[in-house]
């Protein structure tokens, strides 16, 4: 699978592209090399630089970020324990 949209972040690992109700979303996991710490899930929904959502801490509220988190777990970029920590911290 190839990304649908332009995305120029060198820290991002492409996870998958999903389609839902005729809308297409590219899923990424971002691990900025300069920053020590966990990465974050990213969902791109268009080519404009601002056409994205991000934040593992919002995966409990936003289904698209939740799906990105599941794909990141499947690729071993994020652990279930990390996701639980992010979600539990925000509830
Ligand atoms: Zn990135």
């Amino acid at each position: 699978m190839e990304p649908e949209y332009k995305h120029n972040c060198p820290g991002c690992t492409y996870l998958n592209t999903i389609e839902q109700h005729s809308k297409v979303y590219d899923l990424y996991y971002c691990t900025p090399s300069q920053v020590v710490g966990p990465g974050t899930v990213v969902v791109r929904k268009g080519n404009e630089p601002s056409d994205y959502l991000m934040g593992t801490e919002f995966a409990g509220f936003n289904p698209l970020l939740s799906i990105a988190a599941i794909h990141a777990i499947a690729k071993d970029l994020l652990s279930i324990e990390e996701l639980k920590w992010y979600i539990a911290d925000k509830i």
Side-chain angles (χ1 to χ4, degrees):
M1 206 135 207
E2 290 289 312
E4 177 84 4
Y5 306 115
K6 289 183 292 186
H7 189 69
N8 293 322
C9 176
C12 270
T13 301
Y14 173 65
L15 299 172
N16 213 335
T17 296
I18 61 168
E19 187 175 340
Q20 187 75 187
H21 299 299
S22 307
K23 290 183 179 166
V24 177
Y25 304 96
D26 293 333
L27 313 179
Y28 292 90
Y29 192 74
C30 190
T31 310
S33 56
Q34 297 89 341
V35 179
V36 176
T40 185
V41 290
V42 177
V43 176
R44 176 159 286 286
K45 53 185 181 170
N47 281 316
E48 290 299 312
S50 62
D51 286 344
Y52 73 91
L53 314 166
M54 69 184 289
T56 310
E57 65 270 36
F58 304 121
F61 308 111
N62 185 291
L64 292 168
L65 292 171
S66 174
I67 292 164
I70 290 165
H71 283 263
I73 289 168
K75 292 212 169 182
D76 213 17
L77 297 167
L78 175 69
S79 73
I80 292 170
E81 287 71 26
E82 285 172 322
L83 180 59
K84 274 170 65 178
W85 182 85
Y86 273 113
I87 292 173
D89 189 48
K90 300 297 171 187
I91 288 175

